[in-house]
Amino acid sequence: MAKKIAKRVAKAQEGLDRDKQYGLAEAIGMLKERASAKFDETLEIAMNLGVDPRHADQMVRGVVNLPNGTGRTVRVAVFARGDKADEATAAGADIVGAEDLVESVQKGEINFDRCIATPDMMPLVGRLGKVLGPRGMMPNPKVGTVTPDVAAAVKASKGGAVEFRVEKAGIVHGGVGKISFDASALEENVRAFADAVIRAKPTGAKGNYLKKVAITSTMGPGIKIDPSSLTAAG
């Protein structure tokens, strides 16, 4: 099995210069050509930023609506009561509740990928910080997941909203579509993600903000990207 995997990795890296920075369109084409998994691989981007997230003024966080969606089914849970709960259900939320949903999550029943709450529910939802926080699922007004407009938030989550947050090493990464997407759709999604991260540049960032960029697919090689090709004209 290990030999088989090693052989596939070697084949995927054939003709690839690991030190070269490729244009975005060329890199996407190379990943699409090399995709050989029996499932629809996810295209992922990693951006190495010139920030130290241990400092509050260098935290990079936000949300981006990918123009062509993520290609994956996102299960959405909403903490809401009354009319807001009805609005969430009508908008397509998979799970809607209040105290009952808090209780389920506390028991470890997390049957969702994204979590939204109305502002009045946050004192309750705050109890779930130790459960949802480490999973990056805690509702937050900065990324639009604490909002009175639950219907719009549910639709955004279902339609291609992707949250991003810088990690300790100064890296932001995210899934930006499926390898089966048209190359142009993947390019649009990558550029939308990169643009959102660039616009989220914190006040404390000094020097070169965007250091390195690479894209990969679930089973594919990592390919370095020329940052100048991330703009629409690039």
Side-chain angles (χ1 to χ4, degrees), residues 20-87:
K20 179 182 174 181
Q21 290 188 338
Y22 291 87
L24 178 59
E26 185 181 4
I28 287 173
M30 292 171 82
L31 285 177
K32 283 178 74 67
E33 284 169 12
R34 287 164 167 73
S36 59
K38 292 177 181 176
F39 61 91
D40 197 1
E41 299 177 49
T42 296
L43 186 82
E44 297 175 13
I45 182 172
M47 303 175 72
N48 194 325
L49 308 177
V51 297
D52 182 349
R54 290 175 297 180
H55 301 289
D57 66 347
Q58 293 188 49
M59 173 53 70
V60 180
R61 184 173 189 177
V63 63
V64 55
N65 286 304
L66 299 179
N68 301 294
T70 61
R72 63 186 282 254
T73 302
V74 179
R75 297 166 300 169
V76 179
V78 179
F79 292 91
R81 292 192 182 96
D83 291 346
K84 293 297 178 185
D86 294 340
E87 285 175 27

Side-chain angles (χ1 to χ4, degrees), residues 11-168:
K11 190 172 182 184
Q13 292 177 350
E14 270 177 24
L16 179 63
D17 184 343
R18 302 305 297 270
D19 299 317
K20 179 182 174 181
Q21 290 188 338
Y22 291 87
L24 178 59
E26 185 181 4
I28 287 173
M30 292 171 82
L31 285 177
K32 283 178 74 67
E33 284 169 12
R34 287 164 167 73
S36 59
K38 292 177 181 176
F39 61 91
D40 197 1
E41 299 177 49
T42 296
L43 186 82
E44 297 175 13
I45 182 172
M47 303 175 72
N48 194 325
L49 308 177
V51 297
D52 182 349
R54 290 175 297 180
H55 301 289
D57 66 347
Q58 293 188 49
M59 173 53 70
V60 180
R61 184 173 189 177
V63 63
V64 55
N65 286 304
L66 299 179
N68 301 294
T70 61
R72 63 186 282 254
T73 302
V74 179
R75 297 166 300 169
V76 179
V78 179
F79 292 91
R81 292 192 182 96
D83 291 346
K84 293 297 178 185
D86 294 340
E87 285 175 27
T89 301
D94 299 274
I95 306 168
V96 181
E99 285 84 359
D100 56 332
L101 183 51
V102 170
E103 200 173 309
S104 294
V105 173
Q106 284 174 329
K107 289 177 184 173
E109 295 170 15
I110 302 173
N111 303 313
F112 50 85
D113 308 298
R114 196 166 162 86
C115 195
I116 295 162
T118 53
D120 63 295
M121 290 297 297
M122 285 312 291
L124 255 184
V125 180
R127 299 177 196 168
L128 303 175
K130 287 182 181 176
V131 183
L132 296 176
R135 291 174 169 83
M137 296 170 76
M138 193 67 184
N140 189 305
K142 289 182 181 177
V143 294
T145 48
V146 176
T147 173
D149 193 352
V150 289
V154 169
K155 286 171 184 170
S157 295
K158 291 278 189 181
V162 174
E163 285 186 47
F164 58 84
R165 180 174 182 162
V166 69
E167 296 175 353
K168 285 180 184 176

